[in-house]
Amino acid sequence: MVSFPGDTLISSAMDVISQSLTVPVLIILLIIVVASLFLLGEIIAEYFKNKKVKVGDIYDLIFKISNATSIEHLQVIVSQSDIPDLQKRILTKISDTHSMKKSSREAAARRLVEMEEERIDKNLNKTDIITRIGPTLGLMGTLIPMGPGLAALGAGDINTLATSLTLAFNTTIVGIGSGALCYVLGKIRKSWYDRYLADLDALSDAVLDYMD
């Protein structure tokens, strides 16, 4: 194979670039591990904090809202219900728009629900990001040490090879493990939020229908 003068320079530059990424990749993987554990604790706390509302309870609440005698009575019904506090605040804000025109009420209600959807999307993005970049960084952390490791093998330096392989395996485990954990957490959280938003949509429609 013909070797060009620039090949060695390019190869050296690529080697420097790849090896310079070692520390940043390790630091980001460490941050990902800490973030994954934090998200795990956050979801456990969320599970115990927000009790699950049964479908029958939502149906009963809609029935009570439709039979409220006044806006004040409606707000009392909402405040005394078993739905999450965030839903109570949103429904109360929607009921406060009773003096507006119908189109304005609907626009305000739609925006309040959209803001809640945006908040939920931000929470879901946390796990989605780690799910995507965790395994990628783990793969980078696997391949980067392999260059020096293979070079050490060619030179008969077993100690350097062992160190490189240990680092490669550790980063693979950390990256894939964090990604898998956040994938599961994201799926669990999404199922909660889908139910939460479905309930919120139904209740907000009930409040708007009452004010029509």
Side-chain angles (χ1 to χ4, degrees), residues 10 22 32 34 52 91 95 107 142 151 178 188:
I10 294 174
T22 302
I32 284 176
V34 174
K52 187 176 180 181
L91 295 177
S95 65
T142 301
S178 298
I188 294 173

Side-chain angles (χ1 to χ4, degrees), residues 2 7 36 42 44 73 82 90 160 168 176 204:
V2 179
D7 289 350
S36 300
E42 193 177 65
I44 292 174
H73 184 211
D82 291 330
I90 291 172
T160 301
I176 294 177
S204 61

Side-chain angles (χ1 to χ4, degrees), residues 5-199:
D7 289 350
T8 302
L9 180 61
I10 294 174
S11 178
S12 299
M14 294 296 291
D15 184 60
V16 170
I17 292 172
S18 63
Q19 295 307 311
S20 66
L21 293 174
T22 302
V23 174
V25 167
L26 294 178
I27 292 174
I28 295 174
L29 280 173
L30 180 60
I31 293 173
I32 284 176
V33 171
V34 174
S36 300
L37 295 176
F38 176 80
L39 288 171
L40 176 61
E42 193 177 65
I43 289 178
I44 292 174
E46 189 175 345
Y47 173 79
F48 288 105
K49 180 180 178 181
N50 297 325
K51 56 184 177 180
K52 187 176 180 181
V53 183
K54 298 179 181 179
V55 176
D57 294 337
I58 297 297
Y59 175 83
D60 292 340
L61 180 55
I62 292 174
F63 182 79
K64 290 178 181 179
I65 289 173
S66 65
N67 288 281
T69 56
S70 64
I71 292 296
E72 291 75 16
H73 184 211
L74 184 151
Q75 292 178 343
V76 170
I77 291 172
V78 169
S79 65
Q80 293 179 348
S81 65
D82 291 330
I83 61 176
D85 291 338
L86 280 173
Q87 287 185 341
K88 291 180 182 180
R89 286 199 288 270
I90 291 172
L91 295 177
T92 300
K93 287 181 179 179
I94 292 174
S95 65
D96 286 336
T97 64
H98 62 90
S99 59
M100 298 181 182
K101 293 182 179 180
K102 181 179 179 180
S103 58
S104 298
R105 287 200 305 268
E106 292 177 348
R110 184 168 58 251
R111 186 58 190 137
L112 286 169
V113 174
E114 287 174 352
M115 289 172 62
E116 191 64 4
E117 291 175 349
E118 290 168 3
R119 182 189 68 83
I120 286 173
D121 285 341
K122 288 180 181 179
N123 286 338
L124 292 176
N125 283 338
K126 296 175 184 177
T127 51
D128 288 345
I129 290 172
I130 295 178
T131 298
R132 288 180 173 87
I133 69 173
T136 301
L137 290 174
L139 179 60
M140 289 179 64
T142 301
L143 296 177
I144 290 173
M146 294 302 292
L150 293 175
L153 177 62
D157 187 353
I158 303 300
N159 291 331
T160 301
L161 175 62
T163 301
S164 298
L165 290 177
T166 300
L167 179 60
F169 290 140
N170 288 341
T171 53
T172 301
I173 293 170
V174 169
I176 294 177
S178 298
L181 175 61
C182 285
Y183 176 80
V184 173
L185 296 179
K187 286 294 183 181
I188 294 173
R189 218 171 200 177
K190 189 176 186 303
S191 66
W192 292 350
Y193 288 156
D194 286 345
R195 172 72 177 275
Y196 173 90
L197 289 175
D199 291 344

